[in-house]
Structures are given as structure tokens and as C-alpha cells.
């Protein structure tokens, strides 16, 4: 079965600094990969997704993620963080083999300091 | 993307009672799912809501505790039965859309925050 690891539970960055959130997955084939963001008291918003093709994926709100097959990683990046980016970020994996059900990582809470 | 609504947005319930959560999608979708997010935790899939047939439950979740209905391609309900404080969680529904002929993009509703006293 697939699994997802987000090794950082909390991350604090200064406003305007760059951000990278790590995500590693365990699955034999290439899965579908997603990043979602959850603001306090809100549902999940899809930031970006990777199915195939170009390994650098652009998303909303200035986020991007890079799929690296050799490292089984799908790290999320943003060149300049804004205070409004403070939220919890979830990496998720889906595969057609498992009926496209999603498995979520534990989440990374991002705090932005001014 | 999709517009998914849930009702109620939050509720406080007494132990032993049941609550039914509704999920409405703005267009027909292939699959709908229900997740639970316990306080400070990630999302755990409860079940896949199948249109016209019984839901498919994940390990650790049973129909008697979490009955699910899906009468059409845009609507589903989840009932949390005989509630206990351990059921206090956020319950989220999601809808899975086709992208390029591949069924694999899930969008989420805003969630229902349930507190059981």
C-alpha cells in the first residue's frame, strides 16, 4: 500500500523568505501526487497536482512542486512567502491501482513571522 | 474546480445521538468520499460513497456506525450514529473529477466540525 511522509510537523519562515515543504511517498509505480492547503477552520484547497509529464508543476498562489522519481519526493516550494500562507499543508498520493483513493501525509503547519 | 457544500458546518451533540451530514456537489461526479480528521490529525478515509449501491468502507469503519447514502451523482450523506466524545472530529466529503479522461482529481467540501459532549 502507498504511504506518504511529511517529515516536518512545524515550519516557521519569515515573510518574504523562500519555502520548501518536503513530501516523500512509498509506491512502486508513479502515483498521482497532490498538495492541499487547509486554513484554520476551513476545508482543503487543492494547490497543485502531478499526473505525468513535466516534473515541475505550477499551482495556485505562486506555489510549485517538483516530482523527483529517483528520490520518491514531491516537495512544495514558494520563492517568497506571504503572511496569508500560514496554514497547514498536506501532501497526498493516489493510484489507479487503489481506486484513486487518496492517502494523506501527516501535514506540515506553516507559521509566517513578520 | 468544483463547488462542494456541506451541512451543517458545525454541531454540538449529546452522547448517544446521531447526526446526518449532507454533501452537495455543483455537478455530476464519478466518485464521492468521506473523510474524518480528528483534532490535530491528518485525514483518514472512512468510505467511498457509491451511487446506487452500498458504500465501500475502509478498515476500522463499519456501516452500522457510519451509514452512507448516495441517491444520485451530486449528493451524499454521512450519518455518525450513537455518538461518543471520541467521534468529535471534522468530517469532510470530497468529489472526484475526471481530468483528461483520467479519474483522479479530488476536491473537498468545507467540512463539518462535530463536537460530542
Amino acid at each position: 500500500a502507498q504511504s506518504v511522509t511529511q517529515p516536518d510537523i512545524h515550519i516557521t519562515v519569515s515573510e518574504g523568505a523562500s519555502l520548501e515543504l518536503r513530501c516523500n511517498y512509498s509506491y512502486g509505480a508513479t502515483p498521482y501526487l497532490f498538495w492541499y492547503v487547509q486554513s484554520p477552520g476551513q476545508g482543503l484547497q487543492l494547490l497543485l497536482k502531478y499526473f505525468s509529464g513535466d516534473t515541475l508543476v505550477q499551482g495556485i498562489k505562486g506555489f510549485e512542486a517538483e516530482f523527483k522519481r529517483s528520490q520518491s519526493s514531491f516537495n512544495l516550494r514558494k520563492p517568497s512567502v506571504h503572511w496569508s500562507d500560514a496554514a497547514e499543508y498536506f501532501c497526498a498520493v493516489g493510484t489507479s491501482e487503489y481506486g484513486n483513493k487518496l492517502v494523506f501525509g501527516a501535514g506540515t503547519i506553516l507559521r509566517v513571522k513578520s | 474546480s468544483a463547488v462542494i457544500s456541506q451541512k451543517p458546518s458545525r454541531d454540538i451533540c449529546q452522547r448517544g445521538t446521531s447526526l446526518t451530514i449532507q454533501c452537495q456537489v455543483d455537478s455530476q461526479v464519478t466518485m464521492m468520499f468521506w473523510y474524518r480528521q480528528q483534532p490535530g490529525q491528518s485525514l483518514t478515509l472512512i468510505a467511498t460513497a457509491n451511487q446506487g449501491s452500498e458504500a465501500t468502507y475502509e478498515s476500522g469503519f463499519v456501516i452500522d456506525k457510519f451509514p452512507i447514502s448516495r441517491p444520485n451523482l451530486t449528493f451524499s450523506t454521512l450519518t455518525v450514529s450513537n455518538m461518543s466524545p471520541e467521534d468529535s472530529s471534522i468530517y469532510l466529503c470530497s468529489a472526484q473529477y475526471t481530468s483528461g479522461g483520467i479519474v483522479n482529481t479530488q476536491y473537498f467540501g468545507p467540512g463539518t466540525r462535530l463536537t460530542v459532549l
Side-chain angles (χ1 to χ4, degrees):
Chain A
Q2 66 263 41
S3 65
V4 182
T5 302
Q6 292 181 248
D8 304 305
I9 299 174
H10 295 92
I11 282 185
T12 299
V13 300
S14 298
E15 190 168 17
S18 63
L19 171 70
E20 182 169 30
L21 302 183
R22 295 182 291 166
C23 173
N24 292 93
Y25 66 90
S26 173
Y27 183 62
T30 300
Y32 308 129
L33 298 159
F34 305 85
W35 276 99
Y36 290 88
V37 60
Q38 185 178 37
S39 298
Q42 303 295 314
L44 271 69
Q45 182 180 22
L46 179 68
L47 283 176
L48 46 77
K49 59 191 177 187
Y50 173 79
F51 296 155
S52 65
D54 191 346
T55 57
L56 185 62
V57 179
Q58 301 297 319
I60 63 171
K61 304 184 179 185
F63 286 93
E64 67 177 27
E66 185 172 12
F67 169 60
K68 293 186 177 179
R69 185 189 305 275
S70 61
Q71 299 177 19
S72 297
S73 68
F74 189 56
N75 294 347
L76 182 71
R77 300 194 296 249
K78 187 169 184 177
S80 177
V81 170
H82 188 263
W83 65 266
S84 61
D85 293 324
E88 188 161 17
Y89 293 79
F90 292 96
C91 181
V93 171
T95 69
S96 56
E97 179 181 354
Y98 292 102
N100 296 300
K101 294 183 287 188
L102 293 183
V103 174
F104 282 82
T108 298
I109 296 173
L110 172 64
R111 176 173 168 261
V112 180
K113 60 181 180 181
S114 56
Chain B
S1 63
V3 177
I4 303 172
S5 60
Q6 286 185 232
K7 289 194 297 186
S9 59
R10 59 178 62 228
D11 207 342
I12 300 173
C13 301
Q14 296 297 317
R15 181 195 301 260
T17 62
S18 297
L19 176 72
T20 295
I21 303 168
Q22 299 179 5
C23 179
Q24 180 73 54
V25 186
D26 66 341
S27 59
Q28 294 184 347
V29 293
T30 308
M31 300 176 77
M32 295 179 72
F33 302 89
W34 287 97
Y35 291 82
R36 181 176 71 183
Q37 186 178 23
Q38 294 178 299
Q41 303 293 315
S42 185
L43 281 75
T44 301
L45 180 64
I46 297 172
T48 304
N50 301 307
Q51 195 269 328
S53 64
E54 196 170 280
T56 305
Y57 290 84
E58 298 299 305
S59 176
F61 297 96
V62 295
I63 187 171
D64 289 346
K65 177 66 176 178
F66 297 102
I68 288 171
S69 78
R70 189 175 174 197
N72 56 52
L73 293 176
T74 64
F75 184 79
S76 178
T77 67
L78 168 74
T79 299
V80 186
S81 303
N82 188 25
M83 289 184 285
S84 67
E86 291 71 35
D87 295 319
S88 297
S89 295
I90 299 172
Y91 293 86
L92 299 105
C93 73
S94 72
Q96 186 156 268
Y97 287 78
T98 300
S99 175
I102 302 171
V103 179
N104 49 28
T105 303
Q106 280 191 38
Y107 295 91
F108 285 79
T112 295
R113 184 179 295 271
L114 171 62
T115 301
V116 184
L117 303 177

